[in-house]
């Protein structure tokens, strides 16, 4: 079995694979400061809750966009799981060739998503990740990471509304009954959700137009991705475990 960890800006998602089968998933908050011992104990306790023993882990892999947590997290994994984690970064075998102007600036999470989407669904493919930021990454038929678009995620937009406008409240992000809102909360929900749908459809259309790729598959993932994928025909596939699958695939490519 292997332990895979995706460290995002808001949450840390963990998965345990036995072969290609995802046996268990867990989530932890990223923003809470923790020592290596705290990480190690929490992870071992989470594994224990699913009857997974650390001695059954043959390895681990981590992709992170939050550098500040890495020293403690990696130390905790070494000390408490007995594995030496592979960190996704420059020099890691991925099977994806990055042809953007600054390949080192591409986040590890985006590379992992690209690997999974290309391996699972083939290219050309546009990968959407609805996380803290909403990202759109174009992978060519030849497996080249050709372009990426980054926009504020719905949670960031929501927080900007209630933190910068004194009379606007915190809200749950969900689709309202109608876009024709008649009170504050549903009006905010309408703006966030329908605004994201509109942005998604326009960006996908523009990527097709400027790239000249007509047979482009569109694959979405991320916490709020299901909400948007259910509301538009522009997204072909929603894959909630795309990032974890990408980590497993990269681990296998680097196993030797």
């Amino acid at each position: 079995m292997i332990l895979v960890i995706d460290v995002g800006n808001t949450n840390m998602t963990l998965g345990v694979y036995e072969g290609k089968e995802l046996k268990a998933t867990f989530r932890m908050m990223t923003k809470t400061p923790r020592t290596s011992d705290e990480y190690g104990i929490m992870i071992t306790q989470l594994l224990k809750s699913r009857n997974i023993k650390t001695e059954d882990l043959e390895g681990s892999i981590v992709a992170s966009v939050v550098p500040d947590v890495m020293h403690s997290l990696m130390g905790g994994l070494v000390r408490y799981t007995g594995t030496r984690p592979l960190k996704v970064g420059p020099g890691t075998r991925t099977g994806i060739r990055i042809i953007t102007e600054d390949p080192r600036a591409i986040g590890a999470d985006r590379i992992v998503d690209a690997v999974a989407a290309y391996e699972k669904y083939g290219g050309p493919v546009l990968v959407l990740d609805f996380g803290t930021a909403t990202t759109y990454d174009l992978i060519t038929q030849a497996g080249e990471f050709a372009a990426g678009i980054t926009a504020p995620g719905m949670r960031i937009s929501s927080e900007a509304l209630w933190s910068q406008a004194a009379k606007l409240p915190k809200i749950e992000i969900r689709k309202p009954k109608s876009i024709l809102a008649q009170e504050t909360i549903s009006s905010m929900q309408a703006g966030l959700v329908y605004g994201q749908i509109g942005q998604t459809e326009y960006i996908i259309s523009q990527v097709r137009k400027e790239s000249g790729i007509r047979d482009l598959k569109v694959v979405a993932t991320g916490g709020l991705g299901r909400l948007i994928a259910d509301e538009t025909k522009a997204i072909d596939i929603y894959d909630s475990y795309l990032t974890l699958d990408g980590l497993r695939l990269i681990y296998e490519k680097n196993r030797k």
Side-chain angles (χ1 to χ4, degrees), residues 19-57:
K20 295 181 179 181
E21 182 183 357
L22 183 59
K23 303 291 288 187
T25 61
F26 313 95
R27 293 175 78 83
M28 298 167 57
M29 288 187 66
T30 302
K31 293 182 180 179
T32 304
R34 295 185 176 96
T35 65
S36 58
D37 289 320
E38 287 173 320
Y39 275 121
I41 291 168
M42 288 185 71
I43 290 170
T44 53
Q45 288 300 311
L46 288 171
L47 294 173
K48 187 178 179 180
S49 72
R50 302 292 181 87
N51 298 314
I52 298 170
K53 299 176 182 178
T54 54
E55 52 263 36
D56 291 333
L57 296 174

Side-chain angles (χ1 to χ4, degrees), residues 204-214 216 218 236:
I204 292 170
S205 172
Q206 199 67 11
V207 167
R208 280 199 169 99
K209 179 181 177 182
E210 292 195 23
S211 68
I213 301 171
R214 300 300 174 191
L216 183 66
V218 180
D236 299 311

Side-chain angles (χ1 to χ4, degrees), residues 12-244:
M12 195 178 297
T13 307
L14 301 85
V16 177
Y17 282 89
E18 186 170 13
K20 295 181 179 181
E21 182 183 357
L22 183 59
K23 303 291 288 187
T25 61
F26 313 95
R27 293 175 78 83
M28 298 167 57
M29 288 187 66
T30 302
K31 293 182 180 179
T32 304
R34 295 185 176 96
T35 65
S36 58
D37 289 320
E38 287 173 320
Y39 275 121
I41 291 168
M42 288 185 71
I43 290 170
T44 53
Q45 288 300 311
L46 288 171
L47 294 173
K48 187 178 179 180
S49 72
R50 302 292 181 87
N51 298 314
I52 298 170
K53 299 176 182 178
T54 54
E55 52 263 36
D56 291 333
L57 296 174
E58 67 172 73
S60 57
I61 181 170
V62 179
S64 174
V65 294
V66 188
D68 290 349
V69 310
M70 289 303 289
H71 179 75
S72 295
L73 175 61
M74 300 290 269
L77 288 170
V78 170
R79 188 179 305 172
Y80 286 88
T81 71
T83 65
R84 294 210 168 265
L86 170 67
K87 180 183 175 183
V88 179
T92 307
R93 291 192 190 95
T94 64
I96 295 291
R97 180 169 169 251
I98 303 172
I99 59 172
T100 58
E101 288 186 7
D102 186 3
R104 289 178 177 269
I106 304 298
D109 56 337
R110 299 173 81 154
I111 295 170
V112 170
D113 284 348
V115 169
Y118 185 72
E119 293 274 347
K120 294 178 73 174
Y121 306 109
V125 60
L126 185 66
V127 190
L128 283 56
D129 192 336
F130 294 90
T132 303
T134 299
T135 57
Y136 308 76
D137 295 321
L138 177 63
I139 316 303
T140 69
Q141 188 167 359
E144 297 168 330
F145 190 113
I149 301 102
T150 306
M154 282 189 285
R155 286 194 181 92
I156 287 179
S157 298
S158 174
E159 289 174 9
L161 281 174
W162 62 255
S163 65
Q164 299 298 319
K167 290 189 176 183
L168 295 182
K170 292 184 180 181
I171 62 167
E172 176 190 2
I173 300 176
R174 63 181 182 86
K175 181 188 172 187
K177 291 181 180 179
S178 170
I179 197 171
L180 302 176
Q182 295 183 325
E183 43 75 33
T184 301
I185 291 177
S186 60
S187 75
M188 293 171 68
Q189 290 171 333
L192 288 166
V193 175
Y194 287 104
Q196 182 68 72
I197 293 167
Q199 177 196 102
T200 299
E201 291 178 341
Y202 182 80
I203 287 179
I204 292 170
S205 172
Q206 199 67 11
V207 167
R208 280 199 169 99
K209 179 181 177 182
E210 292 195 23
S211 68
I213 301 171
R214 300 300 174 191
D215 59 338
L216 183 66
K217 287 179 287 292
V218 180
V219 178
T221 192
L224 292 168
R226 172 71 73 184
L227 175 63
I228 304 304
D230 287 345
E231 298 299 327
T232 175
K233 293 180 180 179
I235 295 174
D236 299 311
I237 300 163
Y238 175 76
D239 187 336
S240 58
Y241 297 123
L242 189 74
T243 308
L244 298 183

